[in-house]
Structures are given as C-alpha cells and as structure tokens.
Amino acid sequence: MKITGKLYRDMVISAACCLDNNKETINSLNVFPVPDGDTGINMSLTMGGVRTDLAENLESAGDAAQKAANIMLRGARGNSGVILSLFFRGIAKSWKTVEEADLSDVIAGINRGVKEAYKAVMNPTEGTILTVMRVMGETAEKALEDGVVTDMTQLFFVMLEAARRTLDSTPEMLPQLKQAGVVDSGGYGFVCVIEGMLKCLQGEPVVSVAGETTVPTGADFSEFDTSDIKYAYCTECIVTKSEKYAGEGTAEELHKFIMELGDSAVFVDDAQIIKLHIHTNNPGMVLTEALRYGSLYTVKIENMKRQHSALSGGADMEPKKEQTEAPAAKEKEPEETKSVEITKKYGFVTVCMGEGLTDMFRDLAADVVVSGGQTMNPSTDDIVSAIEATPAENVFVFPNNKNICMVCQQAKRLVRDRNVIVIETVSVPEGTAAMLAFDEGAECEENAAAMKEAADNVTTVSVTYAVRDTEVGDNKIKEGDTLGLVNGKIVTSNPDRIACIKELVEKADRSDASYVTISYGEGADEDEANSISELYSEKYPDAEVLVFFGGQPVYSYIISVE
C-alpha cells in the first residue's frame, strides 16, 4: 500500500478528529495545577482546519501534504500547536515531488518533520513532544532497515508503539512530570495524531464525537447604520500559485493592487499559495487580478450590508433583485475604519485579555490588541492579521505569554510587507514595561534592545487557584487553593487568599522596587485590591503603588514590581 493524496487527506482528518476527541484529557495533563492547561485545545485547533478546508480531490501525496501543512501553519496555536504544524510542514517539504508515498518516503518525511520541529525551539527539552517525535522516527527508520516492517499499516503500528513507549518514559526525563504524576501533554497529543492516522489505514477512521455547542448570544448591531459600511463585499480567496510565481514573496504587485480597492486587507504570500482578504466594492477586480498568479482554490464573497440588515433585524439574508449601490468615489471614510496603508515608521501589536488591560495597552499606543492569553492562545493567522492591520513600516509584537511566543515568531515569517520585531515578553507586566521603554527617535535595533532590557527588569507576581491536587517542589497543593506565582513559577499556596498574598509579597522580594502596579480581575474587587496595595506600600515605602481594574480572567491579580 502507498499513500495517495486522498488517503493522506483522510489520514490527517482522522488524526484531527482523534485530537479533538482527546483534547480535554490532554488539557488535564498540564504539569502545573493552574487553570491554563490548554495544550489539547491548541493542538486540536491547529489541526482542526483540515477537517473543513482540505479539498477532497488532491492530485498527489505531495499536494495533499502541502495543503494540509499550509492549513495547520496558519491555524497553529500555542507552542505545541506550532511544533505540530512544523512537523507536518517538514513532511510536505520532503514529499514535494512525491506522487504516492511509499515506506521510505514516510520515513524521510517523518525525519524531515522532526528536524523542522527541533529547529523552531531554541533550547529543546527532552521529555516533551519533541522527544516523542524523534524517538518514533528513529525507531521506524531502524525497523525499515532491519526488514521488520513490509507494509504501511505495519509501519504506523510500529511508530505508534514507539511513540507510546516514549511518552510513558517522559516522567523519567522531566522531574516536573514525575512529581506531578503525569506524562507530557504535547507528547500525548502527538500520540493521538499517529493513532488517528493508523486507524484510517486500518479502515476505521476516527470521527469527532464532540457534542452540541452552545451558540453564544450575538452582538447588538441595531445602533450601527448600514449606510456607514463603505465597502460592501467581504472578499476572501486562496490562490494556488502557478509555476511562474512559486516561492515566497512573489506576489507583491497583487498586494499593492488590492490595497487600492478597499480596506481591512490581510495578505499572506507563501511559497505555494496566496491567501487574501479585503473589504471592497469590486470583488470581481480582486479575483480577476488574483487569477494572474494561479488558480482559485477557495473563494468567499459576502455582502456585509445584507448581513448587517439581517443581524439588526432589518432584513433577511436571502439575495434580492435590487443591486447594492456603491458609495460615491469621493465619499468620506468613516472615522472607525482603519487603513492598512503604511503611514508611519513604528507600530505595535500586543496580546492580552481583559477590558482594563486592553485599554491600558491602547493608551500606550498599541495599534492592535489581540484578545488572548491563558486558556485562549491566538492562532498564527490572528497575529498575521493584526500585523497586517498595523499601518507601520516596523511592527513590534509583544506576546505577553510564553505559550504565544512561538506563534508570533511563526507569524513574523509569513508577513512580507512589514519589518516585524517580536519582543518575547512572557507576561503583561513585561509587555507594559517594554512599550514604556520605546523611543520614537531611536532605530529599531536600539528600541528592541531597550525593550528587552526593560522587560527583563520586571518581576511578575500573579495570583490564581489550583484546579487539582499536586505537589510542586515543597508545596503540597490542594484543589481550590490560592496559588502565588513569581515569574510564572509557583512559590506558595494557601486555602486563604489573603494569607497566600501576604506570603507572596515576602517571597517576591525586590529591594530596589520603585513601582508596583496591581491589576485586579476575575474573582477580585477594588476593596481587596486596595488592601493588597497597602501591603506593598508597607513593604516598599519609597515605591509608587498603583491599583487598576484589568478585568483579566484566570488570574485574580497580576502585579508588576520594578
């Protein structure tokens, strides 16, 4: 048996369904008991797009691998999601000219995938998803060389068994896993991927067993006037590049052309595809120009005026005979519309959750604030869209979470018309300090160095709660305990929140502290926050202490000490 384009499509869809079915189990394997175990969700969302967007008729295994990798690359969320997407991108690179993949092609693809994944991690840690991938590939290669496997199903069975054995041994490689009594969550997710692919080869592809989802209450559009919509058609398409335009960054002229036809443009110019989105009154012109670069893979055009009328109760969404009249050419653009035309030297994209924190970053001149953080990591596409929506030649990006840094770096590689600088901030206080260090008159390199130095000088204190019993170091933690963290590490826990915070004030000692900023959010109130500010004022009598409502979920308090 060889893997055709259609079979590969079915295999990755089965893998995506297996991930989706096991995402809550994967989430529960988070080493620390804080309520941010979202590895399963991130990996599931990374692969989820193949279930709906991967075409049924694919010319070859190489074609299927490339298209699947593109979908995962743009949907990647969190570190494990990025690593998973790069693994599949490695397979795609290895299979570029493969019509039907045989055993040696699979081994070559796996090994290339492992290399791509390892390359993305600055300091790879053994005992993680990377180890599971690597050992699986090495075992499969040796099995083929020794003649142990002779068919495709047998090869994937050997790989699955090797992945499972390696996963079971991860607690022996990472003391944190052993102490918590869990295996690596990303590695578990990867085992699910291989299991799903094997099930498909065995003629029993995995299907999603997700239950019904609750449809959230929609936003109220009734106060917005339909006539305020300047550009009527939301136009999206993916173009499969012709041979002439193969390669990254070959469609700049198309980008410039569509920028003149509307606003809210997002443009991704990858090696094999172009993905574009724009609000325009001339969707036909967009598609006609796009066809010069290859064939249309997908197209979606929506009349936003019709959608608005329906959502505000003014009309249904069925097409009507009358034609929507385009606004006059010289019509003044509404103030709310943001152009993506490059109009300044520097811009900023930052990530956070919470109304108050969002307002704070906007006050610090952030052009785009991406909603995300603990339990809700944005995708690569989310960050790309934010960068493309920033009207600046040089765009600084602040992830503000260690699990979003790789996604931001991935997005940087996809953006062609901006100079993107990712400042790898791992907390909101670090992102705030970095933005405050910006100097309009300095060059990019100077600003980047100053921002990184400012971020490194911040001590981030945070307060949350335990979602399960566990032990971390000398701390014996019970479910429901208040947890105190310093720079992301649990340093204290206590059933009583105020008692925990008092301990935390002492453990996060900064004798040189000049500023303390307390953001209170979910589960906290202003009175309690003010009482905490008094603790810090007593601890650091010469420091300026500020309290504000951040509105962040998961963490009752995020405190910056610098």
Side-chain angles (χ1 to χ4, degrees):
M1 178 196 297
K2 291 184 178 182
I3 298 178
T4 63
K6 185 181 184 307
L7 178 55
Y8 186 77
R9 169 190 179 273
D10 294 343
M11 289 170 69
V12 294
I13 289 176
S14 179
C17 290
C18 194
L19 261 180
D20 189 58
N21 293 344
N22 288 278
K23 61 180 181 288
E24 293 303 329
T25 300
I26 299 168
N27 288 343
S28 70
L29 296 174
N30 186 37
V31 172
F32 293 113
V34 296
D36 63 354
D38 50 6
T39 302
I41 293 172
N42 286 338
M43 295 183 77
S44 177
L45 289 174
T46 296
M47 285 199 78
V50 299
R51 294 161 57 190
T52 55
D53 298 343
L54 194 55
E56 186 170 352
N57 298 318
L58 296 158
E59 295 178 1
S60 66
D63 181 39
Q66 183 63 58
K67 287 179 169 58
N70 286 340
I71 292 168
M72 291 183 219
L73 180 69
R74 286 161 179 72
R77 296 172 188 257
N79 292 345
S80 294
V82 171
I83 289 169
L84 184 63
S85 72
L86 291 174
F87 174 81
F88 278 98
R89 192 175 194 182
I91 294 175
K93 288 182 176 180
S94 177
W95 289 10
K96 193 171 292 185
T97 60
V98 173
E99 292 293 323
E100 295 184 354
D102 59 19
L103 297 176
S104 60
D105 291 324
V106 171
I107 299 298
I110 295 292
N111 288 337
R112 181 66 181 269
V114 171
K115 288 179 181 178
E116 292 289 322
Y118 265 89
K119 275 197 310 184
V121 182
M122 188 173 296
N123 297 303
T125 300
E126 295 304 321
T128 65
I129 182 176
L130 292 171
T131 309
V132 177
M133 288 177 173
R134 177 179 56 77
V135 175
M136 182 195 76
E138 291 170 351
T139 303
E141 186 171 26
K142 188 174 188 306
L144 185 62
E145 290 174 353
D146 294 346
V148 175
V149 296
T150 56
D151 66 66
M152 196 65 68
T153 302
Q154 193 177 24
L155 175 63
F156 271 80
F157 180 81
V158 168
M159 290 198 297
L160 178 60
E161 289 301 302
R164 283 173 172 165
R165 286 195 304 272
T166 308
L167 176 67
D168 290 341
S169 66
T170 55
E172 302 304 318
M173 303 179 204
L174 277 178
Q176 302 99 310
L177 296 174
K178 189 171 186 177
Q179 189 175 38
V182 295
V183 295
D184 179 68
S185 57
Y188 190 103
F190 185 71
V191 168
C192 290
V193 168
I194 302 304
E195 180 181 353
M197 298 179 88
L198 174 59
K199 287 283 189 183
C200 183
L201 286 171
Q202 293 172 328
E204 301 174 353
V206 180
V207 296
S208 178
V209 295
E212 294 183 5
T213 56
T214 302
V215 179
T217 302
D220 183 3
F221 294 99
S222 59
E223 297 302 316
F224 186 84
D225 189 353
T226 303
S227 64
D228 286 339
I229 300 175
K230 180 178 180 181
Y231 297 106
Y233 299 99
C234 176
T235 305
E236 297 181 24
C237 72
I238 296 177
V239 178
T240 302
K241 287 184 175 180
S242 64
E243 186 175 344
K244 177 181 177 181
Y245 291 99
E248 296 182 354
T250 61
E252 184 59 27
E253 290 302 314
L254 174 60
H255 190 194
K256 291 177 181 177
F257 178 84
I258 70 166
M259 291 279 285
E260 298 175 357
L261 296 179
D263 64 13
S264 299
V266 176
F267 192 88
V268 178
D269 186 359
D270 204 11
Q272 301 297 325
I273 68 167
I274 300 164
K275 181 177 181 180
L276 67 85
H277 166 282
I278 189 167
H279 295 172
T280 181
N281 291 318
N282 299 287
M285 291 178 66
V286 173
L287 300 181
T288 298
E289 187 68 14
L291 279 167
R292 291 182 51 232
Y293 294 81
S295 58
L296 294 174
Y297 178 51
T298 62
V299 174
K300 183 174 74 171
I301 301 173
E302 296 175 335
N303 186 320
M304 295 186 294
K305 291 192 175 186
R306 294 278 185 232
Q307 286 182 323
H308 171 259
S309 294
L311 291 170
S312 60
D316 60 34
M317 293 184 66
E318 291 298 316
K320 297 186 178 181
K321 292 183 179 180
E322 65 267 26
Q323 185 177 7
T324 303
E325 184 177 336
K330 294 183 179 180
E331 183 179 45
K332 185 178 178 181
E333 183 174 335
E335 290 183 3
E336 294 83 4
T337 301
K338 292 185 178 180
S339 171
V340 295
E341 179 184 358
I342 294 176
T343 58
K344 57 182 180 176
K345 184 175 181 180
Y346 292 118
F348 307 94
V349 170
T350 188
V351 182
C352 75
M353 294 176 72
E355 179 185 348
L357 293 180
T358 298
D359 290 343
M360 177 193 69
F361 277 117
R362 285 178 177 154
D363 289 342
L364 291 173
D367 293 271
V368 181
V369 180
V370 178
S371 179
Q374 299 300 117
T375 74
M376 193 181 79
N377 297 158
S379 69
T380 303
D381 244 356
D382 292 334
I383 304 299
V384 169
S385 297
I387 294 169
E388 293 284 3
T390 303
E393 177 185 351
N394 304 285
V395 181
F396 289 97
V397 181
F398 307 93
N400 300 335
N401 186 294
K402 66 180 180 180
N403 207 34
I404 302 175
C405 290
M406 285 184 70
V407 168
C408 291
Q409 293 289 1
Q410 187 94 297
K412 174 182 176 177
R413 288 189 283 270
L414 293 175
V415 175
R416 297 296 165 188
D417 64 345
R418 307 284 198 281
N419 176 35
V420 180
I421 309 98
V422 179
I423 308 298
E424 294 197 346
T425 51
V426 298
S427 69
V428 165
E430 287 192 11
T432 305
M435 289 192 69
L436 286 169
F438 172 73
D439 180 359
E440 183 74 39
E443 295 302 316
C444 278
E445 295 77 9
E446 296 173 293
N447 268 315
M451 288 174 167
K452 187 67 173 69
E453 182 179 358
D456 290 344
N457 191 45
V458 174
T459 296
T460 300
V461 178
S462 46
V463 179
T464 186
Y465 60 93
V467 295
R468 59 182 170 82
D469 295 351
T470 190
E471 290 186 25
V472 177
D474 295 330
N475 289 309
K476 293 185 178 180
I477 298 167
K478 296 293 184 182
E479 181 180 344
D481 279 359
T482 298
L483 301 178
L485 295 85
V486 177
N487 292 332
K489 295 182 179 179
I490 298 172
V491 298
T492 186
S493 64
N494 197 300
D496 181 83
R497 183 157 70 187
I498 295 299
C500 179
I501 292 171
K502 287 180 178 179
E503 295 172 15
L504 190 57
V505 171
E506 296 303 317
K507 288 181 179 290
D509 190 20
R510 283 288 301 265
S511 58
D512 61 342
S514 299
Y515 301 95
V516 178
T517 306
I518 302 170
S519 167
Y520 66 95
E522 187 177 90
D525 58 45
E526 187 175 7
D527 290 341
E528 185 182 69
N530 286 330
S531 68
I532 293 169
S533 74
E534 293 174 5
L535 296 175
Y536 277 100
S537 293
E538 292 173 8
K539 178 72 173 177
Y540 307 114
D542 296 328
E544 181 179 344
V545 182
L546 171 69
V547 175
F548 75 102
F549 174 68
Q552 70 274 0
V554 181
Y555 289 90
S556 305
Y557 295 97
I558 298 176
I559 303 168
S560 170
V561 184
E562 53 185 312

